[in-house]
Amino acid sequence: MRTAPIINVRFLHNTWMEGIHNKWMEGERTVSSLFPRDHGRSTWTDVICLRAYSNFRGSINIHSPMTHLKKKYLDGHCRSIGGMDTVILFDFDHTLIDCNSDPWVVNQLGATQLMNSLMRVLPWTSLMDRMMLELHQQGKTVGDIEQSLKTIPVCLEMIRAIKSAHSLGCDLRIVSDANSFYIKTILENYDLLQYFSEIHTNPASVDNDGRLRIFPYHSYTVAAHGCELCPANMCKGAIVDDIQRSFLPESKKRFIYLGDGRGDFCPSLKLGSEDHVLARQEYPLWKLLGQNPDLVKAQVHSWSNAKDVEDCLSKLLMP
């Protein structure tokens, strides 16, 4: 059973969230019962606090003398805060996690020397698939890879930022040049997989011999993406194009993109003036954005650590 979410909202007090959770567990489901007041009326803060919690617990019946106003508030003002009309796209390595998951596994399982020797010969995704073969031949199992992935830390502030954005109704997705096995394993280890509606990454699977295989998101030969800004295996800009086209024009979605690497430059150029890019300071994306200001329409914000991300998202999602 899920515990009460951590809501990173300035005007929501943690004690209130704890009180909601405790009363929910006792069977209460209405605003008036969850927020008893001497004067019999619940405040706007109560309603938005309840709205955040309801994202985790399902439908809540809103019964009070101001029912119609509360429903209007939930359907209108809460949406204008940025939650339900905002899509947040996370890069994974060096963004959601503070390391590169590919060399992390290889280094921990003792194949660093071979990886370094092949790095200039093979494209990165092909290199990682080759390293999985090497680990398999050395007797390392998929379970060993999983255990290595579970030692990768995810900063507490990043966890809070993810949960807070989701609680406000944001649509969270991952666009990453890692692979599906790594990302899923790490997110499940921190109970974060449930907060993401989609994961766009290089597919990975375990074959009949028990070896982990990693494949390119875009084929190197069949229907190659043709983007000169991106590596051959993945054009994140094409992925963002597809995501944008999946929404009706009248939905007017706002996009927030978080990234650090050279591969995050192309998708950043797909965003409009109402969108935001959070670029990790002193990393390739941040430098490319600074070098090409005329190409960038989105509003650019820099960050250095997970606390910066938490603070920036908090500001962007608040009225």
Side-chain angles (χ1 to χ4, degrees):
M1 181 178 294
R2 293 182 191 169
T3 58
I6 300 172
I7 307 298
N8 181 29
V9 180
R10 289 188 179 88
F11 54 79
L12 301 187
H13 299 292
N14 290 336
T15 54
W16 287 16
M17 291 303 296
E18 183 179 355
I20 293 175
H21 178 65
N22 292 338
K23 291 178 182 179
W24 178 277
M25 299 308 293
E26 294 171 0
E28 302 293 352
R29 294 294 187 273
T30 67
V31 169
S32 57
S33 61
L34 288 166
F35 293 98
R37 304 272 178 179
D38 292 339
H39 49 70
R41 297 172 62 184
S42 302
T43 68
W44 300 124
T45 307
D46 295 343
V47 178
I48 193 171
C49 190
L50 187 57
R51 172 67 176 86
Y53 190 79
S54 70
N55 281 333
F56 287 80
R57 291 297 182 185
S59 299
I60 295 178
N61 297 319
I62 302 175
H63 299 304
S64 77
M66 302 175 68
T67 294
H68 66 289
L69 292 178
K70 287 177 169 55
K71 287 185 176 179
K72 180 179 179 181
Y73 184 84
L74 294 178
D75 294 338
H77 184 71
C78 187
R79 183 168 298 175
S80 72
I81 285 176
M84 297 184 72
D85 285 329
T86 299
V87 180
I88 305 181
L89 306 175
F90 288 80
D91 173 46
F92 195 72
D93 292 324
H94 290 299
T95 299
L96 196 152
I97 63 174
D98 199 17
C99 69
N100 189 331
S101 56
D102 286 329
W104 179 285
V105 171
V106 172
N107 293 340
Q108 282 211 340
L109 298 185
T112 304
Q113 186 174 353
L114 178 62
M115 181 181 71
N116 291 340
S117 67
L118 294 176
M119 196 173 293
R120 296 183 180 181
V121 180
L122 296 174
W124 187 262
T125 305
S126 300
L127 172 62
M128 287 303 105
D129 185 56
R130 173 66 180 83
M131 296 315 303
M132 294 305 103
L133 172 61
E134 176 66 19
L135 293 176
H136 181 69
Q137 292 175 339
Q138 290 182 9
K140 300 296 191 299
T141 67
V142 171
D144 294 327
I145 296 171
E146 286 179 323
Q147 290 306 310
S148 175
L149 291 168
K150 290 178 180 179
T151 65
I152 290 178
V154 178
C155 295
L156 176 61
E157 294 87 352
M158 186 64 70
I159 294 173
R160 288 202 303 252
I162 290 168
K163 292 182 177 181
S164 176
H166 184 272
S167 73
L168 289 172
C170 295
D171 181 355
L172 309 185
R173 307 183 184 204
I174 290 174
V175 181
S176 169
D177 200 7
N179 68 76
S180 57
F181 183 88
Y182 282 21
I183 293 174
K184 181 179 179 182
T185 300
I186 294 169
L187 292 180
E188 285 182 336
N189 187 48
Y190 287 91
D191 197 27
L192 293 175
L193 183 61
Q194 61 192 303
Y195 300 109
F196 294 91
S197 64
E198 292 182 359
I199 297 175
H200 301 266
T201 189
N202 300 299
S205 60
V206 181
D207 66 15
N208 293 333
D209 296 325
R211 169 194 166 191
L212 181 63
R213 299 297 311 273
I214 301 173
F215 304 95
Y217 185 89
H218 290 121
S219 171
Y220 293 134
T221 55
V222 180
H225 59 68
C227 177
E228 296 181 355
L229 295 175
C230 295
N233 67 291
M234 174 177 283
C235 174
K236 291 186 177 183
I239 294 172
V240 170
D241 273 340
D242 289 341
I243 294 173
Q244 290 173 325
R245 283 195 295 266
S246 70
F247 296 107
L248 296 174
E250 56 268 25
S251 65
K252 296 181 180 179
K253 295 292 184 180
R254 179 180 66 156
F255 286 83
I256 300 175
Y257 189 97
L258 292 85
D260 69 284
R262 182 174 295 273
D264 297 312
F265 182 58
C266 180
S268 298
L269 302 184
K270 304 295 183 179
L271 305 182
S273 59
E274 298 299 317
D275 302 323
H276 301 264
V277 177
L278 276 62
R280 190 163 192 178
Q281 196 166 353
E282 302 298 339
Y283 279 68
L285 173 62
W286 180 81
K287 295 177 181 178
L288 287 168
L289 293 173
Q291 293 165 2
N292 300 275
D294 294 339
L295 299 179
V296 184
K297 298 178 182 178
Q299 302 171 54
V300 178
H301 312 263
S302 62
W303 61 278
S304 297
N305 52 55
K307 182 62 167 62
D308 293 341
V309 171
E310 181 184 27
D311 291 343
C312 187
L313 286 180
S314 178
K315 292 176 183 177
L316 292 177
L317 297 177
M318 291 299 100

